[in-house]
Amino acid sequence: MPHLCGTAGPRKYMCGCCGEDCLYDGVFCDGCETWRHIACERIGVKELQTFKELPPDFPYICVACRTDSRGSFSFDESIKRLNKAAKQGYEKLESSVIRESLFIKNKLSASRTKAADPKVDTQPKP
């Protein structure tokens, strides 16, 4: 499981996204080495459960570190992370493949959800 706040009591680490303290609901990014709220990272219940089932040394990479300047998933950065893991051995590569797959799956499901949301206010106002 990635480093999650709340597993060993309250901690006070500032969220790298919103700047508020991460007391019980944070995850540590191994990319930028900051704590992030689970809500700021938009980690859903299903994804969080998956993370909790992973080994303790499983590295988490935050949304800011895994997206490009346009906010899209950076496949180039993903490949760099996989290449780095491959040089560290099979076990690191295997866990990195799982992590990157989760990120891609999360990105795809988020974009499908966004595309499925109807526009609330599509009619011009008088």
Side-chain angles (χ1 to χ4, degrees):
M1 156 175 92
H3 306 292
L4 296 170
C5 286
T7 56
R11 300 177 185 166
K12 289 192 174 187
Y13 297 110
M14 187 170 38
C15 176
C17 186
C18 72
E20 298 292 321
D21 284 342
C22 292
L23 295 175
Y24 291 98
D25 60 346
V27 63
F28 184 76
C29 173
D30 288 285
C32 61
E33 298 184 349
T34 61
W35 285 93
R36 306 261 174 169
H37 287 115
I38 291 169
C40 290
E41 284 294 294
R42 297 185 179 157
I43 297 173
V45 174
K46 200 174 193 181
E47 186 180 13
L48 184 59
Q49 185 58 40
T50 302
F51 283 140
K52 287 180 178 181
E53 294 169 2
L54 296 170
D57 62 343
F58 186 81
Y60 178 78
I61 306 295
C62 71
V63 172
C65 289
R66 64 180 185 243
T67 55
D68 61 19
S69 60
R70 297 179 314 262
S72 299
F73 181 81
S74 176
F75 287 95
D76 291 336
E77 290 301 317
S78 178
I79 290 170
K80 287 178 189 175
R81 290 189 295 268
L82 289 170
N83 281 330
K84 183 179 176 183
K87 292 174 185 173
Q88 297 173 353
Y90 177 78
E91 287 182 15
K92 284 286 188 184
L93 178 60
E94 184 178 37
S95 67
S96 291
V97 168
I98 292 168
R99 179 191 64 212
E100 298 301 324
S101 297
L102 287 170
F103 293 157
I104 292 168
K105 207 186 298 186
N106 185 42
K107 180 67 179 169
L108 291 175
S109 65
S111 64
R112 286 184 191 129
T113 302
K114 191 182 283 186
D117 284 345
K119 298 286 183 197
V120 176
D121 219 1
T122 57
Q123 298 298 320
K125 294 186 180 181

